[in-house]
Amino acid sequence: MTTVTQAPAPEVTAEERTPVRLVAVSAGLRAPSSTRLLADRLTEAARNALVDQGHEVEVQVVELRELAVPIAHHLVAGFPPPVLDEALETVTSADGVIAVTPVFAASYSGLFKSFVDLIEPDALAGKPVLIGATGGTARHSLVLEHAMRPLFAFARAVVAPTAVFAAAEDWGGSGDPLTDTLPARIERAGAQFARLVAQTPATVGRQVASVFG
């Protein structure tokens, strides 16, 4: 009987490993804004969780405030200007998307919805998405479950179980007996999202290719 010894897989250095690509979409209308701040905090939590799992991570941010005019032109003319086309490609090619909007009239902002409407119907299918929203008071928090989660479910994205709403009093607050503090919710949501990103076929496939390619 012949014994076959399998060679161990080559060790992959940080330089050889293909990075996981995260994209944060912020619909805040001011600079700075609490919406962008929440997007940055969620992205940081997800990045840290992925790094702890041994992944290299690249992060990009799409500020919709800067794309308001190109979005309007596209809705009227039907053709995306190059800067908008680049933003759409950035989002659809990401391994995971963090999407954060301010609340207007008990729903996501019109700017946020207009941008999402321009994404090709199947471009988000199977893609992990972490949703967040900001508003004046916690009374608006249900926007995450009755507006944002159904929006991305319609696109067949994989939405992280924990969504994060940040009211004005959450920043620097200590929470209450029924809710975690904002940092705790951000950390939990980021960890859940990171697990989804790490388990997607695209991420797993690239890590295998890095080892055996």
Side-chain angles (χ1 to χ4, degrees):
M1 178 180 295
T2 303
T3 302
V4 178
T5 303
Q6 185 174 10
E11 184 177 349
V12 182
T13 65
E15 291 75 14
E16 296 172 327
R17 189 178 294 115
T18 303
V20 174
R21 298 187 299 271
L22 300 182
V23 174
V25 178
S26 170
L29 297 181
R30 296 178 178 84
S33 71
S34 60
T35 300
R36 173 60 188 270
L37 180 58
L38 179 59
D40 287 344
R41 296 284 179 83
L42 289 169
T43 303
E44 181 183 14
R47 179 188 178 281
N48 290 342
L50 284 165
V51 168
D52 288 344
Q53 297 175 34
H55 297 278
E56 295 292 315
V57 181
E58 287 183 357
V59 173
Q60 290 180 275
V61 179
V62 175
E63 278 276 13
L64 298 188
R65 179 177 62 88
E66 300 171 356
L67 298 172
V69 173
I71 288 172
H73 285 170
H74 186 17
L75 290 173
V76 174
F79 299 97
V83 65
L84 177 58
D85 197 33
E86 181 181 351
L88 291 167
E89 174 62 23
T90 296
V91 171
T92 57
S93 64
D95 296 305
V97 176
I98 297 100
V100 186
T101 178
V103 175
F104 287 107
S107 189
Y108 33 65
S109 72
L111 178 61
F112 180 83
K113 181 59 161 60
S114 296
F115 179 77
V116 174
D117 284 346
L118 299 180
I119 297 174
E120 291 296 325
D122 295 328
L124 296 179
K127 192 180 298 294
V129 174
L130 173 56
I131 56 175
T134 59
T137 71
R139 290 179 297 176
H140 299 294
S141 61
L142 285 178
V143 68
L144 291 166
E145 303 303 329
H146 72 64
M148 289 194 72
R149 194 177 295 277
L151 175 66
F152 286 103
F154 178 78
R156 302 198 303 281
V158 181
V159 185
T162 297
V164 179
F165 182 86
E169 65 266 21
D170 285 324
W171 300 105
S174 58
D176 60 55
L178 299 179
T179 61
D180 290 330
T181 61
L182 180 59
R185 286 181 277 135
I186 288 173
E187 184 176 357
R188 182 170 67 248
Q192 292 173 351
F193 175 67
R195 285 194 293 271
L196 291 175
V197 172
Q199 293 167 3
T200 58
T203 302
V204 172
R206 284 208 313 276
Q207 298 305 314
V208 172
S210 297
V211 174
F212 296 103

